[in-house]
Amino acid sequence: MKRFLLIVSVLLAASCAPAEQTLKTVFEGKFILGAAVNQAQILGTDSRGDSVLVRHFSAIEPENCLKSAEIMPVFGQYDWTLADRYVDFGEKNGLAVYGHCLIWHSQCTPDFCYDKDGKLISPELLKERMKQHITTVVTRYKGRIKGWDVVNEAILEDGSYRQSPFWEILGEDFIPWAFQCAQEADPSCELYYNDYSMHEPKKLDTVIEMVKKLQEQGIRIDAVGFQGHVGMDYPNLNLYERHIRRVKEETGLDVCITELDMSILPSVTQSADIGGVSFFEAMRNPETREAFLEKVDPYRGNYPEEVFTAWNTRMSAFLDMFLRNADVIRRINLWGVCDSDSWKNGWPIPGRKDAPLWVDRDYELKPFLNTYLHE
Ligand code: GLA
């Protein structure tokens, strides 16, 4: 009898225990939580990465496999192998599948904008090629990919348009054309403009102006992607929040925080001047290299407790701000699953050990998330 009662009480306790919380359930109804996946995760060779992904996230973006150079090494010649596996992987695991990106100057099919002599092609031919590429890719995954970054990174920090080959040939018109082609290929798919440094006021002014022009022409755009490649000392959080709200107030559109990662390491850009020496010179010259690395990679993977705490505090402040603005923010997407996946380990300085994501190298959630999981 005693034994029976013990078993009953254990069973009862188990059935009354609160279900273990996951990030995707905690933020459900506020925003969709996604992560970018790499080849190992898509192909299932990173099983620990996959299990933390499926447990805590509800959406995916491809880190690379849908970019034009990846999917179409030569214009018109497609290799769908990894892209198909990406979409299958998402569906099999119950994850919402997003597309990144249709038109981008970087990681772009080398001959997209050029003829066989290496000269820029005519505006008519580029329009035709853009339509062909966008229609082919969007149609292939019609009804399966929920939203596309249609154009990536077309506007610079000073508010001018990037002088990419697309812009050189078609001027600003390449943007509405890309959106029009995507909309025709899958009328029910969400369409986004995506860019970094959206805290730069002049950049945001031009993005807003560009969105309004699309809207005036009756061309659909559903949200603006703020790439969240942020650091410990930028951007100013209040400014970032104001800019998120400005998009809604001035265009009516929602924002997606795409590509979120916050480097724990000192910020450095390739245009940096380090004590009178350029970034590249400092890296090239063995005499300056060590001193430079000392400055920009001071922890060599062993972050002091206070640095780790500061990172958690700041990331938590970002997340609180996103939650305050959940009426405007449709989706938050981390740029990678765990720290060892991050592109920040190799850029702009190769070989640094960064820790910019929400999941560490041991596949554990970072401590700042405990508050949200146990609220
Ligand atoms: C940009 C692109 C991403 C990715 C990152 C760096 O933000 O949009 O696809 O390439 O750079 O990894």
Side-chain angles (χ1 to χ4, degrees):
M1 184 63 179
K2 249 193 194 156
R3 204 149 155 233
F4 173 73
L5 284 176
L6 184 69
I7 292 170
V8 170
S9 58
V10 167
L11 285 175
L12 268 177
S15 67
C16 297
E20 216 186 324
Q21 299 264 58
T22 64
L23 292 178
K24 65 181 172 194
T25 49
V26 164
F27 299 125
E28 202 176 339
K30 299 195 170 82
F31 39 69
I32 298 164
L33 187 64
V37 289
N38 60 25
Q39 178 164 333
Q41 286 137 7
I42 295 167
L43 298 181
T45 54
D46 175 12
S47 56
R48 293 183 76 192
D50 284 346
S51 57
V52 76
L53 170 77
V54 171
R55 180 165 165 66
H56 287 291
F57 297 85
S58 57
I60 48 171
E61 278 208 52
E63 192 176 356
N64 287 304
C65 74
L66 280 173
K67 292 171 178 169
S68 68
E70 300 286 327
I71 207 170
M72 180 178 62
V74 174
F75 192 83
Q77 293 176 23
Y78 287 92
D79 177 354
W80 301 108
T81 319
L82 196 58
D84 284 356
R85 293 284 297 264
Y86 162 71
V87 178
D88 290 346
F89 169 82
E91 289 178 344
K92 236 179 256 156
N93 289 291
L95 299 156
V97 181
Y98 288 85
H100 170 84
C101 47
L102 295 168
I103 298 295
W104 188 30
H105 66 281
S106 181
Q107 291 182 266
C108 178
T109 307
D111 62 342
F112 202 133
C113 300
Y114 298 93
D115 64 17
K116 58 179 179 2
D117 302 320
K119 294 211 186 78
L120 290 175
I121 56 177
S122 68
E124 296 70 34
L125 184 56
L126 181 59
K127 282 183 85 173
E128 199 182 306
R129 285 191 178 184
M130 285 174 64
K131 189 172 178 65
Q132 184 184 328
H133 175 63
I134 294 172
T135 309
T136 305
V137 183
V138 174
T139 308
R140 185 173 182 91
Y141 301 115
K142 190 173 177 175
R144 299 176 75 195
I145 287 192
K146 196 172 156 41
W148 273 102
D149 290 336
V150 178
V151 174
N152 199 31
E153 302 181 349
I155 293 161
L156 298 175
E157 285 88 326
D158 65 2
S160 65
Y161 279 79
R162 180 189 298 280
Q163 298 187 3
S164 70
F166 292 99
W167 181 87
E168 282 186 46
I169 300 171
L170 286 172
E172 296 167 26
D173 290 350
F174 85 91
I175 300 178
W177 179 243
F179 277 84
Q180 197 179 317
C181 295
Q183 169 182 335
E184 283 167 12
D186 186 354
S188 59
C189 178
E190 292 180 4
L191 308 176
Y192 320 120
Y193 174 76
N194 191 48
D195 214 327
Y196 62 89
S197 290
M198 297 290 263
H199 57 282
E200 292 290 347
K202 287 187 174 151
K203 178 165 191 154
L204 189 76
D205 288 347
T206 306
V207 170
I208 287 178
E209 200 179 275
M210 180 272 292
V211 169
K212 283 184 175 163
K213 280 189 203 155
L214 289 178
Q215 293 172 326
E216 279 159 20
Q217 292 173 71
I219 295 175
R220 185 164 57 80
I221 170 167
D222 297 289
V224 175
F226 278 44
Q227 291 182 12
H229 300 302
V230 296
M232 294 297 290
D233 52 0
Y234 72 94
N236 172 295
L237 213 65
N238 294 331
L239 181 65
Y240 210 53
E241 179 169 14
R242 269 213 304 285
H243 281 198
I244 290 169
R245 299 232 60 103
R246 263 193 71 193
V247 170
K248 186 68 169 186
E249 283 155 16
E250 295 178 37
T251 69
L253 293 189
D254 284 346
V255 163
C256 297
I257 306 297
T258 60
E259 309 189 24
L260 179 61
D261 53 23
M262 183 169 76
S263 181
I264 196 169
L265 299 168
S267 312
V268 53
T269 61
Q270 289 180 328
S271 56
D273 186 289
I274 301 113
V277 187
S278 78
F279 172 90
F280 290 106
E281 253 175 275
M283 283 296 282
R284 239 191 340 255
N285 181 345
E287 277 168 35
T288 49
R289 191 183 155 89
E290 246 336 283
F292 173 56
L293 284 179
E294 197 55 50
K295 240 195 242 163
V296 297
D297 191 13
Y299 321 124
R300 310 287 162 115
N302 295 315
Y303 317 106
E305 197 53 43
E306 67 274 15
V307 172
F308 188 62
T309 305
W311 185 95
N312 275 274
T313 307
R314 183 163 160 83
M315 188 50 101
S316 180
F318 266 106
L319 182 49
D320 289 342
M321 185 271 274
F322 296 151
L323 286 164
R324 270 201 305 280
N325 293 282
D327 58 323
V328 174
I329 297 174
R330 201 174 269 205
R331 178 167 50 102
I332 294 182
N333 202 86
L334 275 295
W335 202 242
V337 177
C338 79
D339 285 340
S340 52
D341 300 330
S342 175
W343 70 297
K344 294 259 176 158
N345 293 308
W347 193 91
I349 296 164
R352 291 200 299 183
K353 253 191 172 178
D354 210 333
L357 296 171
W358 286 11
V359 179
D360 69 18
R361 286 165 194 263
D362 296 319
Y363 301 91
E364 299 291 339
L365 296 184
K366 300 271 173 80
F368 79 96
L369 290 164
N370 286 336
T371 325
Y372 306 92
L373 286 168
H374 299 122
E375 242 165 21

